Structures are given as C-alpha cells and as structure tokens.
C-alpha cells in the first residue's frame, strides 16, 4: 500500500476540482444530471410511457411523472428480474441490491446498473476519501487498509445473466482492483454469509493488518471492536491498530454511539466522518468533520427533489428544487437515478444545514416516527434525548425502540420504550426522567402533550438484557451488518413482538 499510496493521493486531488465545481455551480450541475437521465431513458419502456422524448423542462417532468415508492415501481422491476431489459434504464441491468429495510419481512430489489456502480457508488467512495485528505493532507491513512464491515456478502443468481445480494455484496463483486487492494478482510472471509462465524473469522483475518480506517454501521462496528479487544485483552483499539485514524459511519445516527467509540478509542487523533448512502444511491458526505451536515453529491448520477412534509401522503405531492429549500425544515427525499428509479421516495427525511454549499443531515424516516397524539417525535429527537440523558446520568445505551401506548379508560397515552444499556449507573427511573426532560426541551409538540400529563404521561421504559436486540434480530434471521432495530414506530407491531420475545 505504501508503494501505490502516492498515486492514489494524486488521483484524489483531481477529484477535488470536480467536487468544487458542483458545489459552486449546484443548479446548473443538477440540470445537466437531469437532462442526461431523461435523455438516456427516453426510449425505455418507462420513458415511452411518460413521453420522456418530449420533456423539455424539470417542470414538465414533475407534471408527467408521478412520485413513486417501491410498490409502484415493482411491476417494472419484476420485468427486469425476469430478464427483460430497457424497462427503466437503457443500459443492461444485471445486478440487484436486495434491501430488507430494518426488520421488515419484505425484500426490495433495487436495480443496479454499471452507471450507478461507477458514477454513483464508486465515485462517491473516492470522493469521501478525497474530502478527508483535503482536511488532513498529512494523513498516512492511504498507507494502510480499510476494515469494511458490510452486511452479508452472499451473491445469489437469478438467471444466466443476473445476480442479487445486499449492496455490499454487489459492490464487492464489481469493485475495481484498487478498491480490492485497499480493503480488508480477505475475500474468502468477506463472502461468508453466516454472521456470527463471519465475525470471528473477520477478527482473526484483520488482527495483524495495518488498519488505518474503518467503514460500517456503528452497531456492528462496536460489536466487532469489543470482541477484538476481548480477544486481545486490551481496552484501547490503538493498542492493536496504532495507525487507525478514521471511522466512516452511516446508516443510523452516530449520536447515541459517540461516547462508546470515545471509550474504546480514547484518542484525540481519532476522527469520525459521516456519509449518507443506501442501496438506491450515495447521496452525501461530510466535507468538514468538525461541522454537522454532509455535502450533497450533485454530480453523481442522481437528480434530487425535496418534498415538504405537509405534502407527504397526497395524491399529487409538490416537490421543491434546490433553489426553493430552506435550512432547518424537514423534507422527504425524492430521487431519480442512473439505475432507473424515477421520482423515487427513498423513505428518509432530511434537513438542510446550509445552502451555500448545499449540506444536509438525515433527520429520520417517513415511517419511523411517533405521532399518535400530535407530538411529531422523529428519530432525530429521540437520538438526542437518549444522548442527553446518557450524558447527564453517565449511562451508555446500545440500542432502543419505542412506540405509542394509546389512551384507554381513565389512563392517558404514553410512549413505551425498550432500551438496551451497556452501562446504567443510576436507577432506570432517573434515566427515564432525564430522557423525558430532554425530549420536551427539543420538541415543543411533545412538551405540550406532556404538560401536566394532559395527553401523555411519563414514558414507560423496559430494560432489554445486554445483547437482547441482537438475539431478537437473529431469531428473525436478520443478524448482520445492514439490519437495524427500528428506532420509532407509530404502531406497536415491533414493540409487541419484542416484548413477547422478552
């Protein structure tokens, strides 16, 4: 790696000029992306249905093409799964990223074209490293390897020419040589499907590597780090990997996990960088690790629209372009991509932290919220309340889920929580009270409903035994890198299931 590191760094510097160009010219850049997408797909089945050939403006595009979710695009995707081509995208679709969401029983098969691999996922990955090296030009990170903690890397064959797996599997199978050289563990370990066996094999595979950066979802990264430290009999990960300097995270909010990482990697030189990528595309990454907000990737094969929350659920919802968005407001993310997703509702909500340049933060999920009493609690609120209660009490939280308790008889409603603690030095009631106060402070609607217990009484909190959420995920066959516990739900299905499991 030390031999090829200078060449990699030189390439990264070239990418920075392209990043600066779209950051300084966001509107023109998105128009170019839009024209390329519509022009490339005009003779596909979908393009003919909505007359892409005669769409001359973004306004016409919005008028003709409906906002879609997976179910509305599923008939087209099913045709591609059965071997038809030129349905949603002109270039052949031979790969599908299978996304199971959190703990849903339904699987989504997201079409992955060569364009979406090269111009979206791989290019974005390079740009993440470029943005980091701009901030830390003296970094020796490229002299080592990246420990990549993905999901299951098993690849399944649909037919002679088509395959599917989770996104990490698709990327691993198509990754350029340079990417393969830079990553760990070795391919034979990465391709293991059974998560617990893979975890152990991964530990011994990477133990003696020069790991300089790590990429993965915080929950599973913590599991791996703790197991490595346990085997080594150490308490500081730098004792094992002294050159480790960066953790690239995404998938869930890092707020509840930050204190645990600081404890396991107690160094002021350890840095953390947030990215926003999904099976559908790679959307943004931090360009300044000291500031909240991720730079929106505007020239990576994705055209963005932003739906105000009051439009969600309407038959013909209005969406906004970059010129119209405001900081601090919640928008549902709508994308059109070089894999054939047209006006696709991703399911995430975002807020702009800056419009010069355009930076966003993920504020929650459209379906992951509690609004049973008009309180409008989103995941961003609950993450911050958990973090604040942990700071005050000294507790360390591994994971949590919550849902409403509806009014019955003479009892008011409540929020019912299941929280797994790594460490709880105070009575559970004390933590609950601090969490409740923090939630009231950050969400005025919740505060109003909690006032004198008018609509909501004190939260009901159950303590999950340590490791319990992982055991529950395993019971559903969903133990592994990309599966997550649903943080909030407006209905009680998951909560009741977990309570019964307990």
């Amino acid at each position: 790696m030390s031999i090829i590191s200078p060449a990699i760094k030189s390439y990264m510097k070239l990418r920075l000029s392209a990043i600066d160009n779209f950051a300084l010219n966001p509107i023109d850049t998105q128009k170019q992306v839009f024209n390329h997408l519509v022009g490339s797909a005009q003779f596909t089945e979908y393009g003919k249905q909505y007359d892409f050939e005669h769409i001359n403006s973004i306004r016409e595009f919005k008028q003709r093409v409906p906002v879609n979710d997976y179910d509305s695009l599923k008939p087209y995707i099913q045709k591609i799964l059965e071997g038809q081509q030129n349905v949603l995208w002109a270039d052949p679709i031979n790969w599908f990223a299978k996304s199971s969401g959190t703990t849903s029983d339904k699987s989504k098969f997201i079409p992955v074209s060569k364009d979406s691999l090269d111009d979206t996922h791989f290019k974005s990955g390079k740009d993440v490293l470029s943005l980091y090296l701009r901030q830390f030009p003296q970094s020796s990170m490229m002299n080592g390897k990246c420990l990549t903690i993905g999901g299951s890397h098993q690849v399944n064959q649909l037919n002679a020419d088509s395959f599917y797996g989770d996104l990490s599997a698709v990327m691993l199978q198509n990754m350029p040589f340079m990417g393969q050289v830079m990553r760990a563990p070795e391919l034979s370990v990465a391709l293991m499907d059974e998560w617990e066996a893979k975890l152990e094999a991964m530990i011994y595979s990477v133990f003696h590597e020069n790991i300089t950066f790590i990429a993965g979802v915080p929950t599973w990264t913590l599991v791996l780090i703790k197991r490595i430290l346990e085997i080594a009999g150490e308490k500081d990960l730098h004792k094992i990997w002294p050159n480790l300097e960066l953790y690239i995270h995404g998938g869930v909010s890092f707020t509840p996990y930050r204190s645990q990482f600081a404890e396991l990697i107690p160094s002021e030189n350890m840095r953390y960088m947030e990215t926003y990528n999904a099976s559908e595309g790679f959307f943004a990454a931090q360009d300044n690790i000291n500031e909240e907000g991720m730079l929106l990737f505007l020239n990576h094969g994705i055209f963005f629209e932003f739906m105000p929350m009051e439009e969600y659920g309407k038959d013909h919802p209005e969406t906004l372009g970059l010129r119209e968005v405001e900081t601090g407001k919640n928008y549902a993310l709508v994308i059109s991509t070089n894999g054939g997703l047209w006006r696709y509702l991703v399911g995430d909500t975002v807020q702009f932290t800056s419009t010069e340049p355009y930076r966003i933060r993920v504020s929650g999920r459209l379906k992951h919220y509690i609004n049973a009493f008009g309180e409008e609690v989103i995941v961003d609120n609950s993450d911050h309340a958990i973090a604040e209660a942990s700071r005050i009490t000294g507790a360390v939280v591994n994971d949590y889920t919550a849902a409403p308790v509806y009014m019955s008889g003479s009892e008011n409603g409540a929020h019912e929580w299941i929280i797994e603690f790594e460490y709880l030095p105070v009575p559970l009631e004390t933590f609950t009270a601090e969490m409740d106060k923090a939630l009231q402070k950050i969400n005025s609607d919740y505060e109003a409903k909690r006032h004198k217990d008018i609509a909501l009484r004190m939260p009901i909190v159950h303590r999950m035994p340590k490791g319990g959420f992982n055991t529950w995920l395993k019971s559903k066959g969903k133990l592994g890198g990309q599966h997550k516990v649903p943080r909030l739900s407006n209905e009680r299905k998951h909560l009741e299931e977990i309570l019964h499991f307990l």
Side-chain angles (χ1 to χ4, degrees), residues 202-358:
M202 185 184 295
I203 290 168
Y204 289 102
S205 174
V206 301
F207 208 89
H208 300 292
E209 293 276 13
N210 178 27
I211 301 297
T212 54
F213 60 118
I214 300 174
V217 176
T219 41
W220 299 114
T221 303
L222 279 174
V223 170
L224 181 70
I225 290 174
K226 289 175 181 178
R227 182 68 178 130
I228 287 174
L229 292 175
E230 179 185 345
I231 291 171
E234 299 285 355
K235 293 184 178 181
D236 180 353
L237 196 60
H238 273 140
K239 298 290 186 183
I240 299 166
W241 296 319
N243 298 318
L244 178 66
E245 63 176 271
L246 174 66
Y247 173 47
I248 302 170
H249 59 87
V252 297
S253 169
F254 192 55
T255 303
Y257 302 102
R258 189 175 293 275
S259 62
Q260 288 196 66
F261 274 87
E263 183 179 337
L264 299 174
I265 316 172
S267 170
E268 293 181 357
N269 296 322
M270 185 65 189
R271 303 171 185 125
Y272 300 90
M273 187 175 184
E274 185 176 11
T275 61
Y276 179 21
N277 65 322
S279 299
E280 295 86 354
F282 203 126
F283 308 128
Q286 272 182 299
D287 59 327
N288 184 339
I289 66 169
N290 297 313
E291 291 184 11
E292 185 182 37
M294 295 173 282
L295 184 69
L296 198 60
F297 285 170
L298 299 174
N299 194 26
H300 292 65
I302 298 173
F303 176 69
F304 294 98
E305 300 173 57
F306 305 92
M307 182 192 294
M309 293 308 297
E310 58 268 23
E311 295 292 319
Y312 178 59
K314 293 183 179 180
D315 290 337
H316 302 286
E318 295 290 330
T319 62
L320 306 179
L322 288 173
R323 273 203 178 101
E324 304 160 291
V325 298
E326 300 176 44
T327 58
K329 289 193 173 182
N330 265 342
Y331 299 102
L333 186 63
V334 179
I335 59 172
S336 297
T337 76
N338 53 10
L341 300 178
W342 297 106
R343 303 201 75 200
Y344 182 86
L345 199 59
V346 175
D348 292 329
T349 60
V350 300
Q351 292 180 358
F352 282 85
T353 62
S354 164
T355 55
E356 291 184 4
Y358 287 98

Side-chain angles (χ1 to χ4, degrees), residues 83 317 415:
H415 288 179

Side-chain angles (χ1 to χ4, degrees), residues 10 18 39 47 99-100 117 164 166 199 203 213 225 286 289 301 305 363 388 396 411 414 429 458 480:
S10 296
S99 171
S100 59
L117 278 172
Y164 72 89
D166 68 18
L199 187 68
I203 290 168
F213 60 118
I225 290 174
Q286 272 182 299
I289 66 169
E305 300 173 57
S363 54
E388 181 65 9
V396 177
E411 282 196 316
E429 293 77 11
M458 181 67 76

Side-chain angles (χ1 to χ4, degrees), residues 459-496:
I460 302 163
V461 179
H462 307 276
R463 185 171 181 177
M464 168 72 83
K466 197 180 294 187
F469 278 124
N470 285 353
T471 306
W472 175 66
L473 285 169
K474 183 180 179 182
S475 74
K476 295 178 67 64
K478 295 185 178 295
L479 185 66
Q482 292 186 331
H483 298 296
K484 302 179 284 289
V485 174
R487 290 285 170 82
L488 301 180
S489 178
N490 208 39
E491 47 88 31
R492 292 180 56 82
K493 176 186 174 184
H494 293 309
L495 190 94
E496 295 283 5

Side-chain angles (χ1 to χ4, degrees), residues 47-60:
K48 290 177 180 177
Q49 180 178 346
Y50 291 100
D51 198 18
F52 279 18
E53 186 179 4
H54 296 105
I55 289 178
N56 296 308
S57 68
I58 294 170
R59 182 180 178 184
E60 287 182 5

